[in-house]
Amino acid sequence: MNVAKLRKSLLSWFELNKRDLPFRKSKDPYKIWLSEIMLQQTTMAVVVPYFERFVRKFPTIAAVAKSKDDNLLNAWKGLGYYARIRNLKLACREVCEKYGGKLPKDFNKIRALKGVGDYTTAAIASICFNLPHAVIDGNVKRVLARLFHFRENTDTTRARGFFKEKAETLLDRKSPGDFNQALMELGATVCTKSPHCLICPLNQACASFGKDPENLPIKTKMRFRPVDYSSLILHNEDKILLKKPSSENLIKDMWELPSCYAGSVTHHIDSIQKRLPVALNKKKLQRMGSVKHSITDKRIKAHVFGYELRGRLSGRQLTKWTKGDLTFIAWEELQKIPLNTLARKALQKFSPWSKN
Ligand code: SF4
């Protein structure tokens, strides 16, 4: 393989074909950092509007460091994996305290920040500071496995060593940022699950060209755990009962509907009842269908129930329902609090919510 020729072909292709993405318009390390954090576990199409809104609201590292948790979680809601935003805030604080609000041009110092792994550090270091560190993400692994026809399981120590060695050997040390982005872009747009080999700038160098690239890379299949869940929409006039953020919530720091794990319909109702300080009249419970949601390896099916407390109840009457971390909040406030995705999906099943 002629490595110099491969680098040249890839960089020329990237120059002509790179997507017009908002975070490619600047080399601001904060924006690159934020985009890389958002792109972990989330697709580009979902990330772009979130990124633009987030940057308008929090334009600098200092703005994130100073912001209230609720405001950050609210801007992040819907993206999932909320540990990312909690870690980002902690890391932004550290950058303000130690480095005057600017990311340092030093791989090890960036790598030491909370929530910043090898991949994100290499992306920031190469794209923003032109430091020669190769990025290895899912797209890069796919391209490398095919380019070198690597037919082993990618989840082994040996495979990790293989990808590291190949990525570092191929890296263009004069333009590491562009080269890294080009390799990731090729994986995202050309060397995809069903690769477009005929238009690929690397097809002359690729050991899988004309063979079986769609069967590579070889991965261990992830096992998903089905989980049955039930959620209750208990409401009175303009208010709804919610569970305040606590470490026991499905996602820490997010508001949610009174919910619980359950095995069968009878269990659903009984389990929800255990969460409430007042007995429900089961005849008044309305089944509203179910929603699906995934969190890491859990495939959740949530059965949604509606329950109306009729007539305008006084504050005292409502407090009977608000033991522990349960509280009523106004429907209109729902837009302002960080509500978890499962609750938002469940509320779509509820017609008064749809009218709002
Ligand atoms: Fe991927 Fe095909 Fe290009 Fe090889 S030739 S890198 S398999 S798109």
Side-chain angles (χ1 to χ4, degrees):
M1 177 183 293
N2 183 332
V3 175
K5 201 172 157 198
L6 179 146
R7 288 179 188 141
K8 203 168 159 215
S9 305
L10 185 62
L11 286 169
S12 312
W13 170 84
F14 183 58
E15 196 47 43
L16 288 173
N17 294 283
K18 62 185 168 196
R19 290 169 292 176
D20 184 20
L21 300 171
F23 31 84
R24 287 207 174 131
K25 294 193 172 92
S26 93
K27 293 251 192 261
D28 177 351
Y30 163 62
K31 290 182 184 154
I32 304 297
W33 178 19
L34 176 67
S35 67
E36 294 299 345
I37 297 285
M38 283 186 165
L39 283 165
Q40 291 165 9
Q41 325 279 354
T42 314
T43 62
M44 186 69 80
V46 173
V47 162
V48 168
Y50 271 94
F51 173 85
E52 289 178 318
R53 273 198 302 274
F54 197 95
V55 166
R56 272 199 298 277
K57 252 181 150 173
F58 309 101
T60 59
I61 289 176
V64 176
K66 279 189 284 188
S67 177
K68 286 185 177 160
D69 288 359
D70 266 11
N71 292 341
L72 289 170
L73 284 164
N74 221 2
W76 202 268
K77 76 180 176 200
L79 272 179
Y81 298 92
Y82 293 91
R84 293 183 294 178
I85 185 63
R86 282 194 293 274
N87 288 338
L88 183 69
K89 179 175 176 178
L90 292 174
C92 285
R93 275 195 178 164
E94 195 180 337
V95 172
C96 289
E97 284 159 16
K98 288 190 181 164
Y99 310 115
K102 285 188 177 167
L103 273 173
K105 287 185 188 177
D106 181 303
F107 184 92
N108 292 327
K109 286 181 182 163
I110 300 172
R111 179 67 181 81
L113 295 169
K114 185 92 181 153
V116 181
D118 286 337
Y119 162 78
T120 307
T121 310
I124 297 169
S126 62
I127 298 169
C128 309
F129 305 129
N130 215 33
L131 296 173
H133 295 281
V135 296
I136 303 169
D137 70 349
N139 284 324
V140 170
K141 279 188 194 168
R142 186 167 54 256
V143 176
L144 294 179
R146 290 171 176 175
L147 205 51
F148 294 94
H149 207 248
F150 183 69
R151 296 198 51 80
E152 293 178 33
N153 189 323
T154 54
D155 300 321
T156 62
T157 312
R158 204 179 109 77
R160 278 189 282 278
F162 170 85
F163 290 125
K164 192 165 168 21
E165 191 245 307
K166 295 300 180 199
E168 280 171 7
T169 307
L170 294 184
L171 182 70
D172 186 316
R173 277 153 208 272
K174 283 195 215 124
S175 310
D178 279 351
F179 185 85
N180 278 334
Q181 291 185 83
L183 206 54
M184 290 191 280
E185 189 81 343
L186 190 79
T189 60
V190 176
C191 194
T192 50
K193 204 170 167 196
S194 305
H196 309 283
C197 298
L198 290 176
I199 57 159
C200 175
L202 307 186
N203 57 17
Q204 292 310 305
C206 180
S208 300
F209 183 44
K211 292 186 188 157
D212 56 348
E214 50 292 323
N215 296 330
L216 296 174
I218 296 167
K219 295 187 203 164
T220 315
K221 282 217 166 114
M222 179 127 168
R223 288 217 182 114
F224 293 109
R225 216 156 36 93
V227 175
D228 235 15
Y229 211 70
S230 35
S231 297
L232 178 69
I233 301 172
L234 188 143
H235 57 104
N236 174 243
E237 300 268 315
D238 60 346
K239 293 186 183 61
I240 174 169
L241 188 69
L242 288 183
K243 192 165 177 280
K244 285 186 244 176
S246 81
S247 55
E248 283 175 19
N249 284 24
L250 192 63
I251 301 167
K252 202 174 136 212
D253 295 342
M254 301 294 282
W255 291 71
E256 62 185 40
L257 291 169
S259 302
C260 54
Y261 294 105
S264 66
V265 174
T266 332
H267 274 125
H268 290 305
I269 298 164
D270 291 345
S271 310
I272 288 187
Q273 180 63 73
K274 281 188 202 144
R275 305 274 154 138
L276 301 170
V278 179
L280 293 168
N281 176 348
K282 288 182 188 169
K283 288 189 195 138
K284 281 169 63 185
L285 267 172
Q286 259 182 291
R287 292 203 70 179
M288 297 184 151
S290 61
V291 292
K292 289 184 180 157
H293 185 57
S294 302
I295 299 178
T296 55
D297 66 334
K298 292 191 198 86
R299 290 283 179 265
I300 297 174
K301 182 178 184 190
H303 301 265
V304 185
F305 296 88
Y307 194 88
E308 183 182 3
L309 301 175
R310 297 237 165 91
R312 182 167 284 275
L313 301 185
S314 67
R316 234 185 60 209
Q317 288 168 307
L318 289 177
T319 49
K320 283 201 295 185
W321 295 88
T322 59
K323 292 255 168 66
D325 50 9
L326 296 174
T327 190
F328 278 95
I329 80 154
W331 285 107
E332 61 198 32
E333 294 294 312
L334 282 179
Q335 303 295 347
K336 299 180 195 156
I337 59 167
L339 190 63
N340 78 15
T341 307
L342 183 60
R344 284 188 289 116
K345 284 185 182 172
L347 285 164
Q348 296 295 335
K349 294 268 166 201
F350 185 65
S351 53
W353 167 258
S354 314
K355 283 181 214 149
N356 275 334

